[in-house]
Amino acid sequence: MKKTLALVLALCMVFALCACGKTAAPAETPAEEVAPASLAVCLASEPDTLDPALNSAVDGATMVAHLFSGLAKWSQNEEGALVIVSDLAKELVEGVVNEDGTVTYTYTLRDGAKWSDGKDVTAGDFEFAWKRAASEELAADYGYMFEIVKGYPNDLAVTAKDDKTLEVTLNNAVAYWNELLAFPTYYPVREDVVGSEAWATAPETYVCNGPYTISKWEHNSVIVLEKNANYIDADTVTMDVLEFYLSDDATAMQANFENGAWLMIDDVPTNEIANLKAKYPTEFVVAGQIGTYYVCWNVNENLLPETSTLTGVEAEAAEAEIRNAIALLYDRNYICEEIGQAGQVPASSFVAMGMTNPDGTEFYKTAGGNEDFYGYYDVSVEALEGNFASAVETLKKYYTYDEATGMFTDVPVLSYLYNTSDAHKAIGEYLQSAMASVGIEMSLVNQEWNTFLNTRKEGDYSVARNGWLADYNDPICFLDMWVSASGNNDVQYGRGEHAELAMYSIDLTPYGVDYVVENGTWAETYDVLISEIKACTDTENRYAMMHLAEDLLMSTGCIVPLYFYTDIYMIDDSIEGFFANPLGYKYFMNCTVAAAE
Amino acid sequence: MSKTTAYIIKRLVLAILTVWVVVTVTFFVMHAVPGGPFLGEKAVTPEVLAALEAKYGLDKPLIEQYFTYLRDVFTRFDFGPSLKQRGQDVIDIIATGMKTSAKLGVIAAFSALAVGVVLGSVAALRRNRFIDKFIMVITTAFVSMPSFIMGSLLLIVFAVKLQLLPANGAAANGLILPIITLALYPTAYITRLTRSSMLDVLGQDYIRTAKAKGVSGMKIIFGHALKNSLIPVITYFGPMLAYIVTGSLVVERIFSVPGIGRAFVNSIINRDYPLIMGTTIILAALIVIMNLVSDILYKVVDPRINLE
C-alpha cells in the first residue's frame, strides 16, 4: 500500500510538471533544412510586437521592414549610398500647397501589389492603417509620427480616392516627409486582419505585404521569415530564409557568432570590444547612428553655495554659467576612446551627427557659431588645458577657491543618477573623478531601469545620464522634446521655479516671424520658437530657427553632450548585399552568403 | 489512512491560503514600486498614457483592480493580457516558457537525483578511500561554483572552442549544455547529502543487528540503509525540483533558452503587472505543492514520522 502511494505521489510530481508544458510539442527546434539561401542573425530578444503601428523598437522595425512594404523604402544605390525610393507608390510626388498653407500629396499605387494571402493592396488599406496608427484609441507609442498630418490624431486627413489613389494633407511642408513614408508606422495593414491585437503574434494570423512572411515563431527563441511569393518585387529578394534568433545576452551572441551559428549579431559585450576589434578587423563594424549621449542637469537644482545672496533670475543665470563651466572639465576624447571604445565621436552640441542642413552640410558642424571648432565648446585634445583653466576661472566667481590645493571648498555635493549598467557606471566614475579634481564632490546613484526612468522624468535628481536617438532625419526631433509640456523634458524646463524665471530673449523677425521677446520665460521663448519651427514652411528659415533653438538650449548649460552614438555590430565576411540605415535598421533581403571555403 | 487524508486536506487549504497571501503582497508591493509599464526612454504623450491606462483598467483605484484581478484569476483562470507584449495573454507566455523550463528542469533534476544518489552511496560505502575523496573534491567544487561561471565555462569549451554542441538553446541538441549546467549543483548537493546520511544510517544499531544476523551486504544497503538515508534527499528534492523547473535566469540567458525565468525577470523590469502576477502565482503554487508532496513522501519512506 505504502509503495503504491509512493509511486502515485512520485508520478503526480512528474505529471504536475509535464502538465505545465502539455500544450506544445517538444521544442525540437529550428529548421534543419539546408536551404540554399538562409541567414541566421540575432538582433535582440523577443520584440514586444510586430504590429507595424505598435512597434517602437529598432529591432522590431528591422523585422517589420522585412515583412511590410510602404509607399517608400530605404535602399542602397549603386554607389552604396542610402536613399529613400518609392516602393508601392509609383513615384514620390511633390506636394501641392493649398491656400491655407496646408500641403496635399496624391499618390498612385503600383499595379500588382498583393497581401501575403493573395488579396490586393489598396489605397484604402493605407487610409485605414494610418488612421488606426494615429488614433488615441490604439494608443501607439509612435502615434505622434502622424502629428504633421492634418486632423491628427482622430480625424486624419487621409483619403483613398479609389483603390489606387491615396490623398493626404499635411499641416505644412515637411522636409522629412518621404522618410516618414518609409517608417514602419506608415506601413499599411488590412482592416479584416488586425481586429484583435493577437494577429501579430502568430504566423497563422500574420498577413503582410513585404518581401517576407513569418513561417515560424517560437516565442523568445526564434522567428523564421520566408520569402513572400506574393511580394510585388519578389524577384529582387535574394535571401530565401531569414532566421532571427531572439536573445539579448551579448555574451551569448558573441559565442554564437564565434562558432559560426549566427552570421550577424547586433551587440557585443562591452569589455570584449577591444578584443573583438583586433580579432575580427573586417567583421567588427562601427556604423553611424543619429543619437547623442549626454548628461542632463535638473534646472531647478540649487548649485550656489550657502553664502550666496543671488536669487531668482540672477541665481539661474549664475547656475547656467556654472553648469557650462563644469561641462568644460570633461575630456570627451578619453570617454570615447578609453571607456566607449566603439568609435564614438566626442560631442559639443546636442543635435546629433548625421543630421543635415538643407545645403547638405552637417548640422552639428554649423552649430554654436564658432569659427575654430564645431559646436558650443572645443572638445579637441589640445583644448583640454585651456578649457580646464577657463572652467576654474568661471567657477571662482561663485565659489571659494583654495589656491594651495587647487580645490573649490564650498560647492554643494551633487549626485549623479544612472541606470544600472557597467558602461554607464564607468562614465559616471570618470565624470566624478574629473569634478573631484577641482574639489567638486559628486556621488553616484544607480537605479534599476524603470525606476531610473521614473525618477528622471519626475525631476527627482540633480544630475543624470541621458541619451537620445533620432526617429527621423530632422533636427526637430532633438529640439521639440524640451518644450515645457513634453514628456521627455527631463531637465524640467519651464516647470517649478523655472516656469517663473523671465530671463530668455528671442527675436524671430529675421526669419519672417513677427515675434520678439526680451526677458521672457521658457514658455514665452523656447515653446513659442518650437511651435514656429513646426509651422514654418521656408526651409532656410526653419533651419536657422532650429539652430537658434539649440543655442538657447545650450545656453542653459543643463544639457551637456558627451558623445555621438555609434551602432556596433558584427557581420560575417561571407555576407554581401547587407546595409543598415542611420536609424539602425538592418536590411537582409538583398544579401547573399558566399559558400564556405 | 484517514489521518493522512485529513492532513492532506489541511495542507491543501493552507497551500491556497499561502498562495493568496503571496498574491496579495506581490500585488500591492508591485504597484508601490516606482515606475510603470508604459515608461520608456521616449515618453508617450499624456493622451496615449491615459488611453492605455483606461484600456488595461489601471486608471481604477488599486483596491478595485485587486479584487477584479482575484475574481478573474479564481473564477475564470484569466491572468489577463501582457502590458508589454501587446496581443499576447499572460497564460500563453507562461505556458510557452514553462514548456521549455519544465523540460529542462525535470531532466536536470532527475539526472541529478540518479547520479547523486549513486555517487553518494558509493562514496559512503568506500569511505576514506580514493574514490570517496575524489567524489568529495569534485562535488565540493561544483557546490561552490555559481552557475554563471559553470555555464560560461561549458559554453566556451564545448560551444566555442571544441564546437561540439551549440551555444544556443533553440538549436538541435541545444538543451544539453543548459541541462548539464543546471544539474551540476543539485547533483553535487545530493551526492554529499546521500553520503553523510548514508554514513549516519550505516552506524545505526539496526544495521549492526542485521549484519549480526547474517543479512547479505546487498540486502542491507538496498533494503535498509539506502531507503532510510534518502529522507534528507527527499526534503531537498521537492523544493529543488520546484525551483529548477520554474526557470533559471542565468542559465536561460547564457544559452538563450526561451524559459520562464527570463520572462519573470523581464516582467519585473518592464513592470508588466499581469505577467509579474501570473509568474508569481505559478511559481508559488509549484513550490507549495512540491513541499507538500515531499512531506507526504517522508511519511511513506519513514513511518515513524507523524504527519500531525
Side-chain angles (χ1 to χ4, degrees):
Chain A
M1 184 61 210
K2 276 179 203 156
K3 276 182 188 158
T4 324
L5 180 61
L7 194 67
V8 168
L9 282 170
L11 280 175
C12 281
M13 220 154 157
V14 176
F15 181 73
L17 292 163
C18 297
C20 302
K22 71 178 174 189
T23 44
E28 279 305 306
T29 57
E32 283 282 295
E33 76 237 38
V34 195
S38 158
L39 179 58
V41 303
C42 180
L43 304 174
S45 56
E46 169 118 347
D48 286 337
T49 174
L50 286 185
D51 184 327
L54 291 175
N55 172 65
S56 60
V58 172
D59 51 301
T62 293
M63 291 184 210
V64 169
H66 286 85
L67 292 161
F68 283 87
S69 176
L71 292 182
K73 66 175 176 188
W74 284 90
S75 177
Q76 199 173 26
N77 67 15
E78 279 164 13
E79 288 83 51
L82 289 176
V83 283
I84 300 277
V85 296
S86 67
D87 191 1
L88 287 191
K90 274 191 175 152
E91 59 173 326
L92 296 177
V93 293
E94 293 290 323
V96 177
V97 181
N98 304 312
E99 275 179 13
D100 60 354
T102 59
V103 184
T104 300
Y105 292 82
T106 310
Y107 295 97
T108 311
L109 298 191
R110 285 162 67 195
D111 294 323
K114 290 198 184 305
W115 292 99
S116 51
D117 63 358
K119 290 192 182 168
D120 288 336
V121 177
T122 65
D125 296 332
F126 278 93
E127 179 188 336
F128 166 76
W130 292 9
K131 285 181 170 167
R132 168 180 182 262
S135 70
E136 280 176 0
E137 189 197 342
L138 188 73
D141 288 1
Y142 272 164
Y144 68 78
M145 284 295 198
F146 290 91
E147 195 185 33
I148 47 158
V149 179
K150 196 177 155 191
Y152 171 83
N154 290 326
D155 188 26
L156 227 51
V158 50
T159 335
K161 291 288 172 193
D162 55 53
D163 276 357
K164 293 276 169 217
T165 315
L166 186 74
E167 189 183 277
V168 55
T169 302
L170 311 189
N171 290 324
N172 47 267
V174 174
Y176 51 98
W177 172 240
N178 284 344
E179 198 171 313
L180 284 181
L181 293 178
F183 197 79
T185 323
Y186 278 77
Y187 290 157
V189 291
R190 215 169 69 203
E191 191 167 6
D192 62 310
V193 171
V194 300
S196 145
E197 276 181 13
W199 79 276
T201 61
E204 307 80 58
T205 48
Y206 200 87
V207 178
C208 50
N209 72 334
Y212 294 88
T213 57
I214 302 180
S215 66
K216 186 165 86 169
W217 186 343
E218 278 177 23
H219 288 284
N220 295 305
S221 177
V222 63
I223 297 179
V224 181
L225 307 191
E226 228 164 64
K227 197 167 157 176
N228 175 9
N230 283 319
Y231 175 49
I232 188 166
D233 292 321
D235 52 338
T236 64
V237 178
T238 52
M239 184 54 62
D240 298 321
V241 178
L242 284 178
E243 292 168 6
F244 288 99
Y245 283 91
L246 307 171
S247 167
D248 55 0
D249 188 76
T251 314
M253 287 193 202
Q254 186 192 341
N256 281 286
F257 181 82
E258 294 204 286
N259 78 3
W262 298 343
L263 297 185
M264 188 267 163
I265 54 170
D266 211 4
D267 197 9
V268 297
T270 315
N271 51 9
E272 286 286 321
I273 289 176
N275 174 22
L276 289 171
K277 245 195 298 195
K279 199 168 165 190
Y280 304 96
T282 56
E283 301 181 313
F284 185 93
V285 184
V286 177
Q289 188 172 27
I290 308 178
T292 308
Y293 188 104
Y294 63 102
V295 170
C296 69
W297 291 77
N298 184 342
V299 71
N300 290 318
E301 177 81 3
N302 175 38
L303 299 177
L304 296 170
E306 280 175 18
T307 50
S308 171
T309 51
L310 299 176
T311 52
V313 169
E314 282 154 356
E316 174 52 31
E319 285 167 343
E321 216 182 334
I322 291 167
R323 287 187 291 254
N324 272 321
I326 292 177
L328 294 176
L329 295 174
Y330 309 139
D331 180 357
R332 290 161 176 80
N333 292 285
Y334 177 85
I335 296 177
C336 295
E337 283 157 29
E338 303 300 325
I339 303 176
Q341 297 184 19
Q344 293 93 340
V345 178
S348 58
S349 57
F350 180 59
V351 176
M353 188 174 78
M355 293 284 181
T356 45
N357 287 312
D359 61 3
T361 55
E362 288 256 30
F363 192 91
Y364 83 98
K365 291 188 177 174
T366 52
N370 291 297
E371 299 263 310
D372 307 331
F373 53 87
Y374 307 141
Y376 296 84
Y377 8 77
D378 189 350
V379 292
S380 65
V381 179
E382 298 74 40
L384 203 59
E385 268 180 48
N387 282 347
F388 195 87
S390 99
V392 170
E393 280 314 305
T394 309
L395 294 173
K396 276 182 186 171
K397 291 203 280 190
Y398 303 103
Y399 302 109
T400 317
Y401 188 65
D402 182 346
E403 296 285 350
T405 56
M407 298 281 177
F408 291 97
T409 52
D410 56 354
V411 183
V413 176
L414 299 165
S415 76
Y416 182 74
L417 179 73
Y418 65 97
N419 55 301
T420 314
S421 127
D422 289 342
H424 299 320
K425 185 181 176 194
I427 290 176
E429 284 169 347
Y430 168 73
L431 301 177
Q432 185 184 40
S433 70
M435 290 160 77
S437 68
V438 293
I440 303 174
E441 197 182 324
M442 182 167 80
S443 60
L444 299 182
V445 179
N446 78 87
Q447 288 181 349
E448 165 273 341
W449 174 241
N450 206 299
T451 310
F452 163 79
L453 287 178
N454 193 55
T455 312
R456 197 175 65 182
K457 191 181 156 75
E458 298 292 324
D460 289 335
Y461 70 95
S462 52
V463 194
R465 175 255 121 188
N466 217 326
W468 192 254
L469 289 170
D471 293 326
Y472 43 87
N473 190 355
D474 191 287
I476 193 69
C477 65
F478 278 84
L479 299 169
D480 70 351
M481 59 193 277
W482 300 116
V483 299
S484 309
S486 162
N488 293 307
N489 176 8
D490 295 331
V491 168
Q492 314 296 317
Y493 287 121
R495 297 180 188 171
E497 288 169 23
H498 191 248
E500 311 298 326
L501 300 178
M503 57 185 296
Y504 304 103
S505 304
I506 52 168
D507 178 2
L508 301 184
T509 44
Y511 317 110
V513 181
D514 186 20
Y515 191 80
V516 183
V517 174
E518 283 282 336
N519 295 327
T521 61
W522 192 256
E524 288 162 349
T525 52
Y526 195 82
D527 291 3
V528 173
L529 178 55
I530 293 299
S531 60
E532 288 299 337
I533 292 169
K534 287 189 171 178
C536 181
T537 52
D538 180 89
T539 312
E540 293 289 331
N541 284 335
R542 187 167 172 277
Y543 272 78
M545 284 196 284
M546 288 202 282
H547 277 297
L548 186 68
E550 195 183 20
D551 292 346
L552 187 54
L553 203 59
M554 295 298 291
S555 75
T556 66
C558 289
I559 290 164
V560 183
L562 295 182
Y563 61 75
F564 297 129
Y565 279 112
T566 49
D567 182 18
I568 52 173
Y569 54 87
M570 299 197 65
I571 183 159
D572 196 88
D573 278 336
S574 63
I575 297 178
E576 279 176 20
F578 165 83
F579 68 97
N581 80 3
L583 305 176
Y585 306 174
K586 314 286 187 297
Y587 294 84
F588 301 102
M589 52 276 257
N590 301 326
C591 284
T592 49
V593 181
E597 288 154 24
Chain B
M1 193 63 202
S2 66
K3 252 187 183 176
T4 314
T5 317
Y7 173 77
I8 293 175
I9 290 170
K10 200 174 105 191
R11 282 291 301 264
L12 276 176
V13 172
L14 265 176
I16 292 171
L17 210 64
T18 311
V19 172
W20 172 73
V21 171
V22 170
V23 167
T24 308
V25 171
T26 312
F27 188 91
F28 289 102
V29 168
M30 165 181 96
H31 281 279
V33 172
F38 310 119
L39 265 184
E41 182 86 62
K42 296 186 178 178
V44 295
T45 61
E47 295 78 28
V48 167
L49 186 64
L52 284 169
E53 288 187 338
K55 182 182 165 111
Y56 294 109
L58 296 175
D59 54 342
K60 305 223 166 63
L62 199 54
I63 196 79
E64 191 184 330
Q65 290 181 44
Y66 170 70
F67 284 113
T68 313
Y69 185 79
L70 281 190
R71 192 194 58 214
D72 289 349
V73 168
F74 288 109
T75 60
R76 294 188 283 134
F77 208 62
D78 177 4
F79 289 83
S82 163
L83 303 182
K84 203 74 187 173
Q85 288 155 271
R86 282 179 72 170
Q88 290 200 55
D89 281 333
V90 165
I91 195 75
D92 295 333
I93 296 175
I94 293 178
T96 319
M98 275 307 288
K99 180 185 81 183
T100 311
S101 289
K103 184 168 144 189
L104 208 68
V106 168
I107 298 176
F110 282 95
S111 325
L113 183 66
V115 177
V117 168
V118 170
L119 287 184
S121 308
V122 168
L125 296 171
R126 295 280 177 276
R127 191 180 181 189
N128 289 333
R129 306 255 187 90
F130 171 75
I131 185 78
D132 175 32
K133 288 183 176 155
F134 180 74
I135 290 174
M136 282 305 102
V137 168
I138 296 287
T139 51
T140 308
F142 287 157
V143 163
S144 27
M145 199 185 292
S147 59
F148 67 90
I149 292 184
M150 203 61 230
S152 310
L153 215 64
L154 290 173
L155 184 82
I156 291 169
V157 174
F158 291 98
V160 180
K161 297 286 178 215
L162 302 176
Q163 305 208 354
L164 288 175
L165 290 165
N168 161 31
N173 297 330
L175 292 185
I176 296 178
L177 286 181
I179 286 173
I180 295 176
T181 313
L182 265 186
L184 279 177
Y185 177 85
T187 306
Y189 197 88
I190 291 174
T191 305
R192 299 176 67 82
L193 215 53
T194 311
R195 178 182 179 271
S196 62
S197 127
M198 180 85 110
L199 285 177
D200 184 43
V201 171
L202 287 176
Q204 298 282 328
D205 290 345
Y206 63 86
I207 299 288
R208 205 170 23 201
T209 313
K211 271 186 189 160
K213 276 167 66 185
V215 180
S216 78
M218 277 301 189
K219 194 151 186 217
I220 291 178
I221 294 164
F222 288 104
H224 304 284
L226 188 60
K227 192 174 146 193
N228 287 320
S229 58
L230 282 185
I231 294 171
V233 176
I234 291 170
T235 327
Y236 170 71
F237 189 75
M240 184 270 283
L241 186 61
Y243 280 115
I244 213 171
V245 299
T246 44
S248 151
L249 172 74
V250 174
V251 172
E252 286 175 16
R253 273 195 78 107
I254 294 177
F255 297 102
S256 315
V257 175
I260 192 75
R262 213 155 49 148
F264 188 37
V265 173
N266 286 342
S267 71
I268 298 171
I269 295 172
N270 292 328
R271 307 286 190 276
D272 192 341
Y273 298 139
L275 191 54
I276 297 177
M277 293 305 298
T279 37
T280 308
I281 292 175
I282 300 289
L283 209 136
L286 262 172
I287 290 175
V288 168
I289 292 169
M290 291 299 170
N291 271 319
L292 175 62
V293 171
S294 53
D295 279 0
I296 297 167
L297 276 179
Y298 256 12
K299 164 89 181 161
V300 176
V301 176
D302 187 351
R304 287 172 303 178
I305 293 171
N306 191 348
L307 285 181
E308 307 285 312

